[in-house]
Amino acid sequence: MTRPYLTPSQSSPTDAATGLRIGGDWTLAHYSHLEPQVLALRERLAAETPVDLGELAALDTAGAALLLELLGSARLRQLAQQAELSAQRRALLLAVADAMAGSRQTQPPPAPSVLREVLGHIGEVVEGLWHQGRALLGFMGLTLASMLAIALRPTRWRLTSLAANLEQCGLNAVPIVALLTFLVGAVVAFLGATILAEFGASIYTVNLVAYSFLREFGVLLTAILMAGRTASAFTAQIGSMKANEEIDAIRTLGLSPVELLVLPRVFAMLIALPILTFIAMLSGMFGGALVCALSLDISPTMYLSILHDSDLLRHFLVGLLKAPIFAFLIALIGCLEGFKVSGSAQSVGEHTTSAVVQSIFVVILLDALAALFLMEMGW
């Protein structure tokens, strides 16, 4: 084994312009010895400096890479053609020079501007919303078609599953819905009394509480609670089944996952949410009545008399008619996100969060649009 060397052709080791002799074994075993010399000489080596490769003893790709680092791709290719080298070494030098030249020609893409990144992110979000909207509409059509398919076939109704889901999303939700709306009703009555007292119109606190809960707060608070409580449960249940390949097993048995898993949950929500909305309306007005009795000296009898004299039926129907629409969309979003689960626990968590966010967003958006429309129509 010949120790590699990298020396000037004349006596002065710093005068690289007089010529450079390269010889010995340029292999991986001597890489650590050669690399510091190559890095030190590379900056001082002029383009016109004569280089002699005739004394090379052994050469591998590591040594060829060092020569490339020292001489450059074009210079190394030129020397390989002119030097008295064997065919194998010449081929190796040319192959390394060509490969490294090709890799160095690939420039990294320029960094995008901040404005381009912001616009690109906005475009991705809009495209994602578009795809989610299309998926929701398609799933809605599939669910409605399945409803029509079993409407006249009572033997295909899943009454046991319907009862279980009705207990979960309806009966078990009564305490939290009643408590929350009671507290919100008390807060609304207290704030209304505080503001209206400045105008000597404290008596209209009763109308404020009644109108707000019958028309907006009752159905909106209930729908938001069900979106956070029930839509997430639907997603987690169906997503876990998807992760465990139970849905694939259902399809293998020739059963429809939509008919077996989605329809009982949708029907349960359609039944439960209007009932819970009615309970929320009563609880909210009861909370307002308690504040009126304690702070405004409005007795329960006077409270009921004011409610009786008010035109509340129209507001009650407006609020109650929103409930089935919200229930249908909340159940659809929860089930759809469950079917989107890819198979991991992380995916279950991500789609559960997405179901809650989408459900609350859709409920508030539709409620705002409905409020604007009904206000313009005078209803």
Side-chain angles (χ1 to χ4, degrees):
M1 179 181 294
T2 305
R3 185 174 181 82
Y5 55 86
L6 178 66
T7 60
S9 299
Q10 295 185 4
S11 58
S12 176
T14 59
D15 190 9
T18 60
L20 189 65
R21 283 190 308 120
I22 297 176
D25 294 337
W26 284 64
T27 58
L28 182 60
H30 301 96
Y31 189 89
S32 59
H33 170 68
L34 288 169
E35 184 181 21
Q37 301 180 51
V38 169
L39 295 178
L41 188 58
R42 181 181 56 183
E43 302 297 332
R44 296 183 285 118
L45 186 65
E48 64 276 3
T49 303
V51 178
D52 182 13
L53 299 178
E55 299 180 9
L56 276 175
L59 182 68
D60 61 6
T61 52
L66 283 175
L67 291 174
L68 178 68
E69 188 74 22
L70 175 64
L71 303 174
S73 177
R75 184 83 181 277
L76 182 62
R77 188 181 294 108
Q78 180 183 3
L79 291 173
Q81 296 289 351
Q82 296 176 356
E84 297 180 358
L85 300 173
S86 63
Q88 292 83 358
R89 292 172 185 170
R90 181 179 293 110
L92 178 60
L93 290 175
L94 292 176
V96 171
D98 293 338
M100 298 302 292
S103 64
R104 292 184 178 183
Q105 288 174 0
T106 304
Q107 298 294 332
S113 63
V114 176
L115 178 61
R116 183 177 297 178
E117 289 184 352
V118 171
L119 294 178
H121 181 67
I122 293 175
E124 292 178 357
V125 172
V126 172
E127 185 179 8
L129 292 176
W130 168 254
H131 288 307
Q132 288 181 356
R134 289 183 58 186
L136 182 60
L137 288 177
F139 191 68
M140 184 184 301
L142 181 61
T143 304
L144 292 175
S146 300
M147 284 183 180
L148 294 177
I150 69 168
L152 301 179
R153 300 178 182 179
T155 56
R156 296 175 61 179
W157 295 354
R158 307 284 176 175
L159 297 180
T160 303
S161 180
L162 175 63
N165 285 287
L166 191 58
E167 179 184 5
Q168 175 193 355
C169 65
L171 186 60
N172 295 342
V174 171
I176 184 63
V177 170
L179 177 61
L180 179 67
T181 51
F182 171 81
L183 295 176
V184 173
V187 170
V188 170
F190 180 77
L191 293 177
T194 303
I195 299 300
L196 294 175
E198 299 180 3
F199 304 96
S202 299
I203 194 67
Y204 290 104
T205 304
V206 178
N207 302 85
L208 173 64
V209 174
Y211 290 164
S212 61
F213 269 88
L214 290 178
R215 194 177 185 95
E216 295 293 339
F217 284 166
V219 63
L220 186 61
L221 291 175
T222 306
I224 291 175
L225 278 175
M226 297 301 283
R229 181 182 182 276
T230 306
S232 59
F234 289 171
T235 303
Q237 292 166 0
I238 296 178
S240 299
M241 297 179 67
K242 181 75 176 296
N244 295 330
E245 299 183 354
E246 296 178 35
I247 294 180
D248 295 334
I250 291 174
R251 292 194 177 99
T252 303
L253 293 173
L255 301 174
S256 171
V258 174
E259 182 179 333
L260 192 66
L261 302 176
V262 177
L263 293 187
R265 289 172 168 81
V266 172
F267 285 135
M269 281 290 290
L270 288 173
I271 296 172
L273 191 58
I275 297 175
L276 291 173
T277 299
F278 180 71
I279 294 174
M281 293 174 179
L282 294 180
S283 299
M285 289 190 293
F286 180 71
L290 184 62
V291 171
C292 290
L294 296 177
S295 301
L296 303 178
D297 293 330
I298 299 177
S299 65
T301 303
M302 183 180 299
Y303 189 91
L304 293 176
S305 176
I306 296 173
L307 293 180
H308 183 268
D309 295 337
S310 304
D311 182 19
L312 301 180
L313 179 61
R314 175 165 54 91
H315 304 292
F316 171 75
L317 292 177
V318 167
L320 201 61
L321 288 176
K322 296 178 186 178
I325 300 174
F326 292 165
F328 185 68
L329 290 174
I330 290 170
L332 278 186
I333 292 173
C335 295
L336 176 60
E337 290 299 314
F339 282 109
K340 289 181 180 179
V341 172
S342 61
S344 63
Q346 180 181 359
S347 180
V348 174
E350 290 175 353
H351 286 285
T352 300
T353 304
S354 177
V356 175
V357 173
Q358 289 184 47
S359 301
I360 294 177
F361 173 77
V362 169
V363 164
I364 295 177
L365 177 63
L366 289 181
D367 186 75
L369 294 177
L372 293 175
F373 174 76
L374 295 173
M375 182 178 64
E376 291 295 328
M377 297 299 293
W379 295 347

